[in-house]
Amino acid sequence: MKILFVSSEATPFAVSGGLAEVAGALPKALKARGEDVRVILPLYECVGDDKRQEMEYLTNYDVPVAWRRQYCGLFKAEANGVIYYLLDNEYYFKRSGLYGYYDDAERFSFFSRAVLETIEHLDGWKPDIIHCNDWQTALIPVYYNCFYRDRPGYDGIRTVFTIHNIQYQGLYGMDILNEVVGLDPADYPIVEYDGLANFMKGAIECCNKVTTVSPTYANEILDPWFSHGLDGILHKNLWKLTGILNGIDTESYDPHTDMAIPYHYSAARKANKKKDKEALEERFGFDHRPDVPIMVLISRLVSHKGLDLITSIVDELLYNTEVRFIILGSGDSSYENYFRGVAERHPDKFRLELGFQPPLARLMYAGADLFLMPSKSEPCGLSQMIALRYGTLPIVRETGGLRDSVTDCGDGQGNGFTFKTYNAHDMLWAITRGIDLYYNDKNTWKAVMDRAMKSDNSWDRSADLYLQMYNEAMM
Ligand code: GLC
């Protein structure tokens, strides 16, 4: 099967979050199953020189953006045996960040249209499936239906749309449909929703399959509490919807080989994890206390990550409990400021490190004992899977992919600690159970850690489900 996997970010070229990890690892897993999968993304300024040197320039062509025509350069690269196409337009993509610009609607209209135009320039390589991800690529199924399905060389292509987070839909005023998106007024209703242009809604209407990144989230988004307004349109297209749990790249995230951590360990030989804990204590200026548990949170500091629960109880926790708590992340200034205050109040127990710092995150996964992720909603979440693999017991709320990957060890089988209700003291109780187990029952702790490290979160588990879904899309 020929699959063109379209993403606004992908490791190892451009990374801002979980989407990039999926766009790096899922194609690799499909390729290993013998499928001909290629990835396509914008050529941003952040693509490093080392990567650029390995890229091959193929050709260039014009891409329509409403009534204008814009330059598009096509580059090819290879990573993990997978072919990557990078689309070059310096006006749109030579910027310091990936998203958050006033003209994002135009930038990703261009990208979506450019992906479809590119198919003509791949020396006869025509995808069976175009797999789109999130709102940045949501216009592709719409454009395909409006402009390409009858064009020679494009017939019979199926489009799949994956929702990684339903909160970000690509919402704009209706006026962009003419001058920016370039649709015929007769087609405006395809993307119109609640009086706005909604790219994600357009994709859901036009694609052959809608998927999301965990079975639980696939159910949740049918409910208005989670759907950010799209439950009606999803109900209408329910026959297209499936949830497939993400995996992690278990080659990259392996405490036995990870070059970002000083001491290597595995499920069979765990002893070195203690030395990583010592390195973590040192990194954050804590004295060495192997007896005191370290809990970490590694996250964007935004509200759906459940940070309100933490701000409600963090003082109670730190005044009453012998635990160390480290937060790594950045986001809303209200949270950043709040946690700065916590650091001042609890200099002996709490640390805040701002920023997106993958190598430091890996040291934290390795050196910590407990991993906190109390999300209000979580489409899948990869961090809890990484924590499991590094033997750091997750404490999660039972939502989305957290519910599908972590089960409470209270039953003697689980791999972490969970709580149901979005309530600060329910979370605190789960944290307390984790800390108690650390102090009072080393044997059970070790057994849970063992189950955590052996949990299968590799893409092997889910790659076949994607293939099955692609096959259904082709029927
Ligand atoms: C988004 C979601 C996250 C998911 C990731 C990859 O970042 O918020 O839950 O794991 O996409 O699918």
Side-chain angles (χ1 to χ4, degrees):
M1 199 164 354
K2 296 197 195 71
I3 302 144
L4 185 60
F5 193 92
V6 193
S7 179
S8 57
E9 51 181 272
T11 50
F13 297 96
V15 187
S16 86
L19 171 60
E21 307 241 356
V22 173
L26 171 57
K28 181 173 154 189
L30 293 170
K31 178 85 190 185
R33 279 169 173 64
E35 306 302 330
D36 186 356
V37 49
R38 306 183 183 188
V39 182
I40 187 163
L41 75 156
L43 177 55
Y44 300 101
E45 186 179 53
C46 68
V47 174
D49 280 342
D50 51 328
K51 296 276 170 311
R52 282 174 196 263
Q53 264 152 27
E54 291 165 15
M55 278 169 13
E56 179 193 349
Y57 166 78
L58 296 181
T59 179
N60 73 78
Y61 33 89
D62 286 348
V63 170
V65 177
W67 50 268
R68 287 151 292 160
R69 299 192 74 80
Q70 304 286 23
Y71 169 91
C72 180
L74 175 62
F75 287 83
K76 183 179 168 185
E78 221 182 288
N80 296 314
V82 175
I83 292 177
Y84 286 74
Y85 295 112
L86 294 106
L87 300 187
D88 177 38
N89 177 302
E90 295 199 343
Y91 170 69
Y92 289 128
F93 298 123
K94 195 174 191 296
R95 306 186 189 188
S96 58
L98 305 190
Y99 323 118
Y101 297 98
Y102 74 95
D103 58 347
D104 278 358
E106 181 174 333
R107 296 170 70 225
F108 291 102
S109 297
F110 164 79
F111 176 62
S112 299
R113 196 74 200 254
V115 167
L116 286 159
E117 289 293 320
T118 299
I119 290 170
E120 267 183 355
H121 301 274
L122 299 179
D123 292 329
W125 190 85
K126 178 189 160 200
D128 301 304
I129 301 273
I130 304 179
H131 187 159
C132 310
N133 294 276
D134 274 353
W135 74 268
Q136 294 91 339
T137 61
L139 288 174
I140 292 174
V142 178
Y143 285 146
Y144 178 74
N145 272 9
C146 294
F147 302 122
Y148 293 86
R149 61 162 60 243
D150 298 325
R151 192 152 135 183
Y154 285 83
D155 58 302
I157 297 178
R158 303 304 159 112
T159 54
V160 170
F161 182 70
T162 296
I163 299 171
H164 293 262
N165 193 336
I166 206 162
Q167 189 177 353
Y168 309 108
Q169 300 173 0
L171 282 181
Y172 299 97
M174 286 293 287
D175 50 338
I176 67 156
L177 292 181
N178 179 20
E179 292 281 315
V180 175
V181 178
L183 290 181
D184 189 282
D187 293 328
Y188 289 179
I190 301 173
V191 282
E192 181 178 358
Y193 199 56
D194 278 344
L196 292 173
N198 185 322
F199 291 5
M200 191 176 271
K201 183 260 186 178
I204 295 168
E205 292 281 35
C206 293
C207 69
N208 298 95
K209 285 272 175 195
V210 182
T211 80
T212 186
V213 288
S214 70
T216 294
Y217 194 63
N219 265 322
E220 287 173 342
I221 54 178
L222 297 172
D223 187 291
W225 202 76
F226 289 95
S227 75
H228 292 269
L230 286 181
D231 47 293
I233 212 73
L234 285 167
H235 273 285
K236 184 178 154 213
N237 290 281
L238 197 54
W239 57 279
K240 295 183 188 174
L241 179 67
T242 46
I244 303 177
L245 192 63
N246 283 337
I248 53 171
D249 184 335
T250 45
E251 264 177 63
S252 165
Y253 291 108
D254 184 352
H256 193 50
T257 53
D258 189 336
M259 295 309 286
I261 64 175
Y263 300 98
H264 292 149
Y265 60 95
S266 63
R269 291 167 167 267
K270 300 188 183 68
N272 270 349
K273 187 168 167 64
K274 292 201 177 76
K275 294 192 190 163
D276 285 321
K277 179 168 179 175
E278 208 173 325
L280 182 64
E281 287 169 328
E282 196 173 306
R283 166 65 179 74
F284 282 97
F286 285 128
D287 55 343
H288 182 44
R289 291 280 306 275
D291 54 316
V292 177
I294 300 182
M295 179 168 77
V296 295
L297 178 127
I298 303 170
S299 175
R300 278 186 303 128
L301 302 180
V302 294
S303 88
H304 83 89
K305 295 293 180 182
L307 302 171
D308 300 333
L309 299 186
I310 300 176
T311 59
S312 307
I313 55 86
V314 68
D315 283 314
E316 188 178 341
L317 172 72
L318 295 178
Y319 282 126
N320 297 330
T321 316
E322 199 61 271
V323 62
R324 287 164 168 176
F325 185 17
I326 308 172
I327 292 185
L328 169 65
S330 55
D332 296 351
S333 54
S334 58
Y335 291 120
E336 293 184 358
N337 291 335
Y338 187 88
F339 289 123
R340 278 195 190 100
V342 177
E344 276 169 27
R345 290 198 290 285
H346 303 276
D348 52 338
K349 290 185 175 172
F350 182 85
R351 295 287 183 276
L352 170 67
E353 181 92 11
L354 293 178
F356 175 64
Q357 301 186 43
L360 178 59
R362 285 170 182 257
L363 176 63
M364 290 169 69
Y365 287 119
D369 302 293
L370 291 160
F371 183 85
L372 182 60
M373 194 163 177
S375 306
K376 193 185 284 179
S377 71
E378 193 60 67
C380 178
L382 303 173
S383 331
Q384 82 282 10
M385 296 182 180
I386 302 169
L388 286 166
R389 186 144 166 90
Y390 284 64
T392 298
L393 305 190
I395 303 165
V396 305
R397 193 171 94 78
E398 293 170 27
T399 186
L402 298 176
R403 179 171 174 270
D404 295 336
S405 56
V406 181
T407 54
D408 197 280
C409 60
D411 64 354
Q413 298 300 320
N415 55 10
F417 305 90
T418 72
F419 64 102
K420 237 190 200 80
T421 316
Y422 192 70
N423 171 292
H425 282 87
D426 283 9
M427 177 190 72
L428 183 57
W429 177 236
I431 296 174
T432 308
R433 285 191 294 124
I435 293 172
D436 279 353
L437 193 68
Y438 183 87
Y439 278 115
N440 301 322
D441 189 350
K442 284 281 178 242
N443 283 339
T444 308
W445 177 274
K446 281 191 191 130
V448 181
M449 198 169 144
D450 202 57
R451 288 198 292 273
M453 295 188 77
K454 290 178 178 159
S455 310
D456 181 10
N457 288 303
S458 71
W459 272 106
D460 279 339
R461 196 199 43 207
S462 296
D464 289 333
L465 296 173
Y466 271 95
L467 285 179
Q468 201 179 316
M469 180 272 299
Y470 292 146
N471 276 314
E472 287 169 17
M474 309 243 303
M475 279 194 240

